[in-house]
Amino acid sequence: MKKRVRIYAVLLALALLLSGCGNAQTQTGMDGTAGQTERENGQGSLADDRETAEADKSVYMDPAQDVESRVEALLAQMTLEEKIAQMVQPEQAGITAEDVSEYGFGSVLSGGGSAPSTGNSAQDWQQRVNELKAAALQTRLGIPLLYGVDAVHGNNNVFGTVIFPHNIGLGAAGDPELTERVAQAAAEEVRAIGVQWTFAPTLGNPQNERWGRTYECFSEDPQEVAVYGAASIRGFQGELGTEEYLDEKHVLACAKHFIGEGYTTDGINQGDVAMTQEEFDLLLESGVIDPYAAALNEGVRTVMISFNSVDGVKCHENRHLIRDILKGELGFTGLVVSDYNAIQQLSGATYKEQIRQGIDAGVDLFMEVYSWQDFMKNMKALVEEGSVSAEQIDDAVSRILRVKFEAGLFEETIGAETEQALLKKVGGEEHREIAREAVRKSLVLLKNETQDGKSALERLNAAENIRVCGQKAYDLGSQCGGWTISWQGMSGKTTQGTTIIDGIAAQVMPEKKLSHDVKGEVLEENDAVIVVIGEGPYAETDGDRTADALKVSADDAVMLENLKASLKEQGKQDIPVIAILIAGRPLNITEYLDDFDALIMAWLPGTEGEGVADVLFGEYDFTGKLQYTWMKDPADIEDKFAEGNEDKVLFPAGFGLSK
Ligand code: GLC
């Protein structure tokens, strides 16, 4: 669960305790402190000013009408409060269904790991999501609620769902059609719980793997990102122009994070791109904008703005990027959503000024997760004082309504039989097979030494008593990585799936003997070693590393030293050692390379660990290729693309061996 959610929950409990009342909706101020509630101090909530006129639904509820007529007919009936409520996206952990009915929020999200209070099964989620969607229909105009989650490698918050390889692995797989099928399967598992929107795919092209979000991106090359991003969007949404597009088995995708996140100094998450705006515009024109152009071509209807800044100016207040380039040059007519409380990082001296900066720059929907009452009050004040125009509000709300009409939300039957049918597919064999195929294809063979005419992998297959070393050989949480069950991900058996060693056992036993060890000790009878090493789960800033920290975890380093000593003690230095790396990015493994007879980059494969054994022992070959330039020493990452630095590169982008 996002630690922010925990803090809020404590504050809310504290506030309830202090206020002594059952379900007071506390107004969290900017610093998250619980304050007075609107209703308690008798000022009445924003909702009390709402007109009670009977809605005229004749046009906007008629699917035979064209979208723009429906938008116009609905907008014309909306009060300022109703418009402003459509522009805010609270976190589900901080609101009740009554709040949804009373305020008429346009959208609600579950941040990473923000599961219903009842539990984390698909059924728990379906119940919570549909409770909130039903509450939205109780409002005067009955504008449907758009629910968003980060389904970035499957419906990854929910227990028991299929967790697919993270995008860095899908890029390595080099198969856009597979990427599309992965996204389609994920869309079904998301739609099954009533959610209609995923904040995916990430379209960054990381230049520096010190960045904690490298694994969320397909490639360092924006042209590659454009291909896989479009395929992912096609899978999530269905193909533009076909019956499938945004039907009840698909979800809205989100092109994120606009723009430049992969270019920050030292790969610092939410950091600054040290370029002038002119230099940055040239960078965009050189190709970095192409993934977004491709996404728009593919019919993406939501774009999330990036936390990073350019030349010190935060993207969320960069009018030139959002209004001139995204909405202007690219002609984007969908909705622009801000990132998680990102408005609160803007240069304005007050929250009110920050909100003004956000809408002025072109943000339409504000992911202001706990300060939603502050947001609505300040936005109303900005309009009433003339700092924000009615046109700006109407443009933002029109975009939100347009996307809702296009996505069929006004025709959606809550808990429809489509949803029930999809619920049966959650975590099912069909999707697990797609994920297993994605694991197989994502693996990159980086070394496969030949000795006496046999490759390391041939010698492994000829072995009869295999030792599997390393804690990550049976750590489902590590092989899934961040954004799994919880925001940061966790080591251990966090959901249902198959570990790498279980997959190997299923392939080779009982013909071969297999044993597991975490210390790095081999036995006299062993005739081959598989060692699984890497980094533990992380997300966002928690994954930012200094160059010298880009290496396998400390316990893996100790285990590798022990293994080397043990092989020597047992006189086993000639048996094949096959290393499998579980990591969200290239790591510094140069010092170990000579100790490995074979080296496989498995990225963050997700729940279907058998995919690794399928290639190690099965009839499948390695087909994966690196999408990132891999340095001998991460201290040289800045020189990745400089002329004449080839000797600093360990494996170039595009590298990958076959058996
Ligand atoms: C996060 C991420 C963004 C995600 C959002 C909602 O901070 O930056 O990728 O979609 O918040 O969880």
Side-chain angles (χ1 to χ4, degrees), residues 74-372:
L74 177 49
L75 189 70
Q77 300 183 55
M78 294 173 74
T79 65
L80 176 59
E81 290 77 10
E82 288 165 331
K83 292 176 181 176
I84 290 172
Q86 285 294 309
M87 296 170 65
V88 70
Q89 184 186 55
E91 157 63 53
Q92 71 84 23
I95 53 153
T96 63
E98 293 70 28
D99 293 324
V100 174
S101 301
E102 178 165 357
Y103 294 102
F105 307 122
S107 178
V108 164
L109 88 146
S110 278
S114 172
S117 54
T118 55
N120 197 23
S121 73
Q123 288 72 16
D124 289 311
W125 278 81
Q126 187 197 30
Q127 188 185 349
R128 173 63 170 163
V129 171
N130 286 339
E131 174 200 23
L132 297 181
K133 292 198 299 190
L137 301 183
Q138 305 310 312
T139 55
R140 182 174 76 92
L141 296 167
I143 301 174
L145 185 74
L146 177 57
Y147 200 113
V149 296
D150 293 278
V152 296
H153 63 144
N155 190 2
N156 36 256
N157 288 314
V158 182
F159 181 82
T161 60
V162 178
I163 305 296
F164 297 86
H166 269 294
N167 287 345
I168 194 168
L170 295 181
D175 182 346
E177 187 274 336
L178 168 68
T179 299
E180 183 178 336
R181 281 186 289 126
V182 165
Q184 158 104 34
E188 291 184 352
E189 300 206 12
V190 170
R191 205 61 204 245
I193 63 170
V195 168
Q196 319 104 324
W197 186 19
T198 177
F199 305 128
T202 297
L203 299 181
N205 61 297
Q207 304 292 296
N208 187 328
E209 58 268 29
R210 288 177 51 186
W211 184 35
R213 306 196 74 168
T214 298
Y215 67 78
E216 297 185 61
C217 303
F218 296 103
S219 175
E220 68 188 15
D221 177 351
Q223 301 315 313
E224 290 286 296
V225 174
V227 169
Y228 294 97
S232 183
I233 289 161
R234 204 162 42 246
F236 280 128
Q237 299 193 150
E239 187 167 2
L240 183 62
T242 68
E243 280 298 299
E244 279 192 336
Y245 180 67
L246 297 181
D247 70 5
E248 287 201 343
K249 290 187 174 179
H250 291 87
V251 293
L252 284 161
C254 181
K256 75 180 189 181
H257 310 79
F258 192 82
I259 190 169
E261 56 193 335
Y263 286 82
T264 61
T265 305
D266 295 336
I268 293 167
N269 190 46
Q270 307 189 3
D272 186 48
V273 177
M275 293 181 191
T276 63
Q277 187 64 61
E278 293 69 32
E279 289 163 343
F280 190 71
D281 283 2
L282 290 174
L283 177 73
L284 296 183
E285 282 161 31
S286 75
V288 172
I289 195 75
D290 293 357
Y292 285 89
L296 267 55
N297 269 340
E298 202 57 53
V300 80
R301 300 301 289 145
T302 77
V303 173
M304 186 183 294
I305 303 304
S306 185
F307 277 111
N308 68 268
S309 51
V310 177
D311 201 14
V313 177
K314 284 283 181 183
C315 290
H316 280 79
E317 62 183 290
N318 192 326
R319 202 175 206 286
H320 172 63
L321 290 181
I322 306 174
R323 287 203 184 277
D324 298 346
I325 295 179
L326 177 61
K327 292 183 172 180
E329 290 166 30
L330 292 185
F332 180 60
T333 58
L335 72 84
V336 168
V337 61
S338 59
D339 202 336
Y340 200 98
N341 292 340
I343 295 299
Q344 299 167 36
Q345 293 185 9
L346 300 189
S347 58
T350 64
Y351 188 41
K352 184 174 166 187
E353 174 54 12
Q354 291 169 328
I355 293 168
R356 190 200 63 73
Q357 290 174 317
I359 189 168
D360 183 56
V363 175
D364 303 308
L365 178 61
F366 290 73
M367 190 188 289
E368 287 300 296
V369 297
Y370 296 125
S371 46
W372 47 272

